[in-house]
Amino acid sequence: MDPSPPIFGLVCAGGGAHGAYQVGVLKYIHEKFCADKRSPFQVFAGSSCGSLNTSFYAAESHHAFDSRLLLEELWLGFHVPAYHRSALKSMMISSFRHWRRPKDRATWSLLDPAPMRAILQKGFRRKNLERAFDCGSTLGIAVAATELVSGRACWFLEGPRASAWNIFHSLGVCAKIEVDHLAASCSVPVFLPPVKIGRYYFLDGSVSLVKPLSAALSMGASRILSIATDRPLPLALPEYESRFRPRISHVIRMLLNRLSHDSAWDEITEIQTFNRFYEALSRKSKNRENHALPAPLFHDDAKPSDYQPVEVFQFSPSRRIRDSFGIAENPQSLPRKKTRFMFHKRFIRELIDLGYRDASSRHDDLGAFFAPSPKARRRWLFFMRRRRA
């Protein structure tokens, strides 16, 4: 058995309006798996739209069952027609807005950041986050952003388990999380302006994030639920429709798709490899006489037997949401409308319902993931191995 109770982490990827899918999944989880009305998660990390969802539950973790419908209402009220009008009209309006702006305001952007900031201000309650820290229902929160000049991934961290780091793939900075951090994480380049935090400007966290689980791991999460906003790309290259011709719009949309690429799949493979490797090494030193508390993996005094395996449950939609833009898995299918900025109430409703149905269909798997007993946990790991086979 584990020497201490597991710490559950929640990691949510970016994806614009597709983040509504995560709302449906989390709605079901907090409806069925809240203990004493608290969230089953203690560590929260997110990027882009995922930072809105994770920060909400980080602040409401002490009464997550009662507040589970508030996030749904927030997303359903996020109806912004300006976010899906024609690009030419958006450019003309944005240029006029930029010409009239005060000199100390942000640079030019295709979309007005005011609607997004208004949603963030409604969804993130700083006082509630402090209350969650005080009662111990939230142990850490992390928000990912990209520094404008260097392009480096930065995690803004806060909580009892938050600690700064500076390693090759990202920078961990301890800070008091505010709406500006969430706005920076959601600022898609060109479409939304950079956000100034301290002396630096930051953009969408998904741009540079290659280790989306790193912040949750650094804060001690031993079981992580990672929720994607779309299915992973097929292993084979897609088939082109006979009428397909490349346009500049395809290049732009491909770049937008890459912005929301979820690297969690690759990181999970690395974690599983580490689990097997250190488990084999630790067998040789399990019978040591010194029974001191284990040291963190990257600590100078860490030993193989100190390594604690990490379990990751990667949750993704049962069907693809992302637009194919003229390149379809089914050559007969027609290209669909862009969906990343489709903040229509009907579309958001469909995504929330899809997330709720997907979570309901995997109730037993989620139950095994949240179960505290080692027996239930082994069943979950066996299930995951079978799915990968």
Side-chain angles (χ1 to χ4, degrees):
M1 296 182 63
D2 293 338
S4 59
I7 295 177
F8 290 94
L10 173 65
V11 177
C12 288
H18 296 184
Y21 173 82
Q22 298 169 342
V23 177
V25 176
L26 294 173
K27 175 185 175 182
Y28 183 85
I29 290 175
H30 288 91
E31 183 179 297
K32 303 297 182 181
F33 298 102
C34 278
D36 298 326
K37 297 190 176 182
R38 286 192 175 194
S39 173
F41 306 103
Q42 298 89 42
V43 170
F44 304 83
S47 62
S48 195
C49 68
S51 65
L52 169 60
N53 297 331
T54 53
S55 63
F56 174 87
Y57 276 112
E60 312 297 332
S61 61
H62 52 295
H63 62 159
F65 181 83
D66 296 331
S67 61
R68 70 190 187 282
L69 299 179
L70 296 180
L71 186 61
E72 179 181 8
E73 294 174 1
L74 187 72
W75 274 84
L76 290 174
F78 195 1
H79 178 61
V80 189
Y83 275 28
H84 33 79
R85 60 187 169 214
S86 69
L88 179 60
K89 186 176 181 180
S90 296
M91 290 180 65
M92 293 176 63
I93 294 175
S94 298
S95 298
F96 179 73
R97 187 176 65 247
H98 177 69
W99 174 64
R100 295 195 59 186
R101 87 191 198 287
K103 292 184 178 180
D104 59 343
R105 292 293 176 87
T107 57
W108 181 91
S109 62
L110 189 62
L111 301 176
D112 184 2
M116 176 67 72
R117 179 171 285 271
I119 291 296
L120 296 175
Q121 290 174 338
K122 290 181 181 179
F124 179 68
R125 304 174 183 179
R126 176 68 207 181
K127 291 183 179 179
N128 286 7
L129 178 62
E130 293 174 354
R131 190 176 299 116
F133 285 146
D134 292 338
C135 70
S137 60
T138 294
L139 299 178
I141 177 176
V143 176
T146 302
E147 197 276 319
L148 177 63
V149 176
S150 67
R152 191 174 186 191
C154 295
W155 283 102
F156 296 104
L157 310 137
E158 185 180 5
R161 286 181 166 262
S163 59
W165 77 80
N166 189 349
I167 49 182
F168 64 95
H169 59 76
S170 61
L171 180 69
V173 180
C174 292
K176 182 180 179 181
I177 303 298
E178 301 284 1
V179 172
D180 282 345
H181 298 93
L182 304 180
S185 184
C186 296
S187 293
V188 180
V190 179
F191 289 85
L192 293 171
V195 177
K196 188 176 184 181
I197 300 175
R199 298 180 299 163
Y200 305 99
Y201 284 91
F202 293 88
L203 286 165
D204 194 324
S206 299
V207 173
S208 58
L209 196 59
V210 295
K211 300 289 184 182
L213 307 181
S214 58
L217 293 171
S218 73
M219 292 186 287
S222 55
R223 298 195 208 173
I224 299 175
L225 177 68
S226 175
I227 308 179
T229 54
D230 210 346
R231 294 185 64 81
L233 293 173
L235 296 179
L237 293 176
E239 295 183 15
Y240 285 68
E241 295 180 352
S242 58
R243 61 188 181 187
F244 173 76
R245 297 295 183 273
R247 304 174 183 173
I248 186 63
S249 60
H250 295 116
V251 177
I252 295 174
R253 289 165 178 168
M254 181 275 293
L255 293 175
L256 284 176
N257 285 338
R258 291 301 305 172
L259 287 181
S260 61
H261 172 67
D262 190 0
S263 302
W265 300 95
D266 303 326
E267 192 173 5
I268 289 171
T269 301
E270 295 177 4
I271 290 174
Q272 292 168 344
T273 303
F274 270 110
N275 286 344
R276 293 192 298 269
F277 177 72
Y278 277 92
E279 183 180 3
L281 285 180
S282 63
R283 293 195 190 104
K284 298 182 179 181
S285 55
K286 281 291 186 183
N287 297 325
R288 59 183 180 176
E289 296 181 359
N290 183 14
H291 296 287
L293 292 176
L297 177 60
F298 295 105
H299 194 276
D300 292 339
D301 299 328
K303 300 179 181 179
S305 57
D306 292 334
Y307 180 76
Q308 301 296 321
V310 178
E311 301 170 15
V312 184
F313 191 161
Q314 178 71 343
F315 204 102
S316 60
S318 56
R319 61 178 176 85
R320 289 196 64 79
I321 301 173
R322 182 184 299 175
D323 192 354
S324 58
F325 304 111
I327 305 177
E329 297 174 15
N330 179 6
Q332 302 301 322
S333 65
L334 295 176
R336 295 169 291 176
K337 290 183 178 181
K338 58 183 179 181
T339 57
R340 191 173 310 282
F341 294 105
M342 191 182 291
F343 292 100
H344 287 295
K345 185 174 183 179
R346 180 178 176 182
F347 180 65
I348 296 298
R349 177 80 270 171
E350 290 177 353
L351 289 184
I352 293 175
D353 292 343
L354 175 63
Y356 190 90
R357 289 195 304 270
D358 286 354
S360 176
S361 66
R362 303 188 67 178
H363 178 89
D364 293 341
D365 306 326
L366 289 169
F369 175 75
F370 288 116
S373 67
K375 183 177 181 181
R377 197 173 65 190
R378 283 196 297 269
R379 286 198 300 269
W380 176 77
L381 289 173
F382 176 71
F383 165 79
M384 293 297 290
R385 283 195 293 270
R386 287 186 61 187
R387 287 184 63 87
R388 293 195 300 271

